Coordinates of all heavy atoms in Angstrom, one line a residue:
T1 N 4.6 -7.9 14.7 CA 4.9 -7.8 16.1 C 6.0 -6.8 16.4 O 6.2 -6.3 17.6 CB 5.3 -9.2 16.7 OG1 6.3 -9.7 15.9 CG2 4.0 -10.1 16.7
V2 N 6.9 -6.5 15.4 CA 8.0 -5.6 15.7 C 7.6 -4.1 15.6 O 8.3 -3.2 15.9 CB 9.2 -5.9 14.7 CG1 9.7 -7.3 14.9 CG2 8.9 -5.6 13.3
I3 N 6.4 -3.9 15.0 CA 5.9 -2.5 14.9 C 5.4 -2.0 16.2 O 4.5 -2.7 16.8 CB 4.8 -2.4 13.8 CG1 5.4 -2.9 12.4 CG2 4.4 -0.9 13.6 CD1 4.3 -3.0 11.4
P4 N 5.9 -0.9 16.7 CA 5.5 -0.5 18.1 C 3.9 -0.3 18.2 O 3.3 0.1 17.2 CB 6.2 0.9 18.2 CG 7.4 0.8 17.4 CD 7.0 -0.1 16.2
K5 N 3.4 -0.7 19.3 CA 1.9 -0.7 19.5 C 1.4 0.7 19.4 O 0.2 0.8 19.2 CB 1.6 -1.4 20.8 CG 1.9 -2.9 20.9 CD 1.5 -3.5 22.2 CE 1.6 -5.0 22.2 NZ 3.0 -5.5 22.0
T6 N 2.2 1.7 19.7 CA 1.7 3.0 19.8 C 1.5 3.6 18.4 O 0.9 4.7 18.3 CB 2.7 3.9 20.6 OG1 4.0 3.8 20.0 CG2 2.7 3.5 22.0
Y7 N 2.0 3.0 17.3 CA 1.9 3.5 16.0 C 0.5 3.3 15.4 O -0.1 2.2 15.6 CB 2.9 2.9 15.0 CG 4.4 3.2 15.3 CD1 4.8 4.0 16.4 CD2 5.3 2.8 14.4 CE1 6.1 4.3 16.6 CE2 6.7 3.1 14.6 CZ 7.1 3.9 15.7 OH 8.4 4.2 15.9
S8 N 0.0 4.3 14.7 CA -1.3 4.1 14.0 C -0.9 3.3 12.7 O -0.1 3.7 11.9 CB -1.9 5.4 13.6 OG -3.0 5.3 12.8
K9 N -1.5 2.1 12.5 CA -1.1 1.2 11.4 C -2.3 0.9 10.5 O -3.4 0.8 10.9 CB -0.6 -0.1 12.0 CG 0.6 0.0 12.9 CD 1.0 -1.3 13.5 CE 0.2 -1.7 14.8 NZ 0.5 -0.8 15.9
V10 N -1.9 0.7 9.2 CA -2.8 0.3 8.2 C -2.1 -0.9 7.4 O -1.0 -0.7 7.0 CB -3.3 1.4 7.2 CG1 -4.1 0.8 6.1 CG2 -4.0 2.5 8.0
F11 N -2.9 -2.0 7.2 CA -2.3 -3.1 6.5 C -2.8 -3.2 5.1 O -4.0 -3.2 4.9 CB -2.6 -4.4 7.3 CG -2.0 -4.4 8.7 CD1 -2.8 -4.4 9.8 CD2 -0.6 -4.3 8.9 CE1 -2.3 -4.4 11.0 CE2 -0.1 -4.3 10.2 CZ -1.0 -4.3 11.2
I12 N -1.9 -3.3 4.1 CA -2.3 -3.5 2.7 C -2.7 -5.0 2.5 O -1.9 -5.9 2.8 CB -1.1 -3.1 1.8 CG1 -0.7 -1.7 2.0 CG2 -1.5 -3.4 0.3 CD1 0.5 -1.3 1.2
P13 N -3.9 -5.2 2.0 CA -4.3 -6.6 1.8 C -3.3 -7.4 0.9 O -2.8 -6.8 -0.1 CB -5.7 -6.5 1.0 CG -6.2 -5.1 1.4 CD -4.9 -4.3 1.6
K14 N -3.1 -8.6 1.2 CA -2.0 -9.4 0.5 C -2.3 -9.6 -1.0 O -1.4 -9.9 -1.8 CB -1.8 -10.7 1.2 CG -3.0 -11.6 1.3 CD -2.6 -12.8 2.2 CE -3.8 -13.7 2.5 NZ -3.5 -14.8 3.4
E15 N -3.6 -9.5 -1.4 CA -4.0 -9.6 -2.8 C -3.6 -8.4 -3.6 O -3.7 -8.4 -4.9 CB -5.4 -10.0 -2.9 CG -6.4 -8.9 -2.5 CD -6.8 -9.1 -1.0 OE1 -6.1 -9.8 -0.3 OE2 -7.9 -8.6 -0.6
I16 N -3.2 -7.3 -3.0 CA -2.8 -6.1 -3.7 C -1.4 -6.2 -4.1 O -0.5 -6.2 -3.2 CB -3.1 -4.8 -2.8 CG1 -4.5 -4.7 -2.4 CG2 -2.6 -3.6 -3.6 CD1 -5.5 -4.5 -3.6
S17 N -1.1 -6.3 -5.4 CA 0.3 -6.4 -5.9 C 1.0 -5.0 -5.8 O 0.3 -4.0 -5.7 CB 0.3 -6.9 -7.3 OG -0.2 -5.9 -8.2
I18 N 2.3 -5.0 -6.1 CA 3.0 -3.8 -6.1 C 2.6 -2.9 -7.2 O 2.6 -1.7 -7.1 CB 4.6 -4.0 -6.1 CG1 5.3 -2.8 -5.8 CG2 5.0 -4.7 -7.4 CD1 5.1 -2.2 -4.4
K19 N 2.2 -3.5 -8.3 CA 1.7 -2.7 -9.5 C 0.3 -2.0 -9.1 O 0.0 -0.9 -9.6 CB 1.5 -3.6 -10.7 CG 2.9 -4.0 -11.3 CD 2.7 -4.7 -12.6 CE 4.0 -5.1 -13.2 NZ 3.8 -5.9 -14.5
Q20 N -0.5 -2.7 -8.3 CA -1.8 -2.2 -7.9 C -1.7 -1.2 -6.8 O -2.7 -0.4 -6.5 CB -2.7 -3.3 -7.6 CG -3.0 -4.3 -8.7 CD -3.7 -5.6 -8.2 OE1 -3.4 -6.1 -7.1 NE2 -4.7 -6.0 -8.9
E21 N -0.6 -1.2 -6.1 CA -0.5 -0.4 -4.8 C -0.7 1.1 -5.0 O -1.4 1.7 -4.2 CB 0.8 -0.7 -4.1 CG 0.9 -0.1 -2.8 CD 2.2 -0.4 -2.0 OE1 2.5 -1.6 -1.9 OE2 2.9 0.5 -1.6
P22 N -0.1 1.7 -6.0 CA -0.3 3.2 -6.1 C -1.8 3.5 -6.2 O -2.3 4.5 -5.6 CB 0.4 3.6 -7.4 CG 1.6 2.6 -7.4 CD 0.9 1.3 -7.0
Q23 N -2.6 2.7 -7.0 CA -4.0 3.0 -7.1 C -4.7 2.8 -5.7 O -5.6 3.6 -5.3 CB -4.6 2.1 -8.2 CG -6.1 2.3 -8.4 CD -6.5 3.7 -8.8 OE1 -5.7 4.3 -9.5 NE2 -7.6 4.2 -8.5
W24 N -4.3 1.7 -5.1 CA -4.9 1.4 -3.7 C -4.6 2.5 -2.7 O -5.5 2.9 -2.0 CB -4.3 0.1 -3.2 CG -4.9 -0.4 -1.9 CD1 -6.0 -1.1 -1.7 CD2 -4.4 0.0 -0.6 NE1 -6.3 -1.3 -0.3 CE2 -5.3 -0.7 0.4 CE3 -3.3 0.7 -0.1 CZ2 -5.1 -0.6 1.7 CZ3 -3.1 0.8 1.2 CH2 -4.0 0.2 2.1
L25 N -3.4 3.0 -2.8 CA -3.0 4.1 -1.9 C -3.9 5.4 -2.1 O -4.4 6.0 -1.2 CB -1.5 4.5 -2.0 CG -0.6 3.5 -1.4 CD1 0.9 3.8 -1.8 CD2 -0.6 3.5 0.2
S26 N -4.0 5.7 -3.4 CA -4.8 6.9 -3.8 C -6.2 6.8 -3.4 O -6.9 7.8 -3.2 CB -4.6 7.2 -5.3 OG -5.2 6.2 -6.1
E27 N -6.8 5.5 -3.4 CA -8.2 5.3 -3.0 C -8.4 5.4 -1.5 O -9.5 5.6 -1.1 CB -8.6 4.0 -3.5 CG -8.8 3.9 -5.1 CD -9.0 2.5 -5.6 OE1 -9.0 1.6 -4.7 OE2 -9.2 2.3 -6.8
N28 N -7.3 5.2 -0.8 CA -7.4 5.2 0.7 C -6.8 6.4 1.4 O -7.2 6.7 2.5 CB -6.7 3.9 1.2 CG -7.6 2.7 0.9 OD1 -8.5 2.3 1.7 ND2 -7.2 2.0 -0.2
F29 N -5.9 7.1 0.7 CA -5.2 8.3 1.3 C -5.1 9.4 0.2 O -4.4 9.2 -0.8 CB -3.8 7.9 1.8 CG -3.8 6.7 2.7 CD1 -3.4 5.5 2.3 CD2 -4.1 6.9 4.1 CE1 -3.4 4.4 3.1 CE2 -4.1 5.8 4.9 CZ -3.7 4.6 4.5
L30 N -5.8 10.5 0.5 CA -5.8 11.6 -0.5 C -4.4 12.1 -0.8 O -3.7 12.5 0.2 CB -6.7 12.7 0.0 CG -8.2 12.4 0.1 CD1 -8.9 13.6 0.7 CD2 -8.7 12.1 -1.3
P31 N -3.9 12.2 -2.0 CA -2.6 12.6 -2.3 C -2.3 14.0 -1.9 O -1.1 14.4 -1.5 CB -2.5 12.5 -3.9 CG -3.5 11.4 -4.2 CD -4.6 11.6 -3.2

């Protein structure tokens, strides 16, 4: 709720751990 409504937002699924996150990012956003 604190994130401005005008921002384009993407939510990382809660089952994605911090160790898994770099791989998840690379699969969703081209480096």
Side-chain angles (χ1 to χ4, degrees):
T1 53
V2 302
I3 303 173
K5 293 182 174 63
T6 55
Y7 290 7
S8 175
K9 296 177 281 289
V10 173
F11 300 114
I12 300 174
K14 56 187 175 185
E15 62 268 20
I16 300 296
S17 70
I18 193 64
K19 288 185 178 180
Q20 297 168 319
E21 185 176 310
Q23 181 61 32
W24 182 90
L25 286 169
S26 67
E27 291 170 358
N28 288 274
F29 306 100
L30 293 174

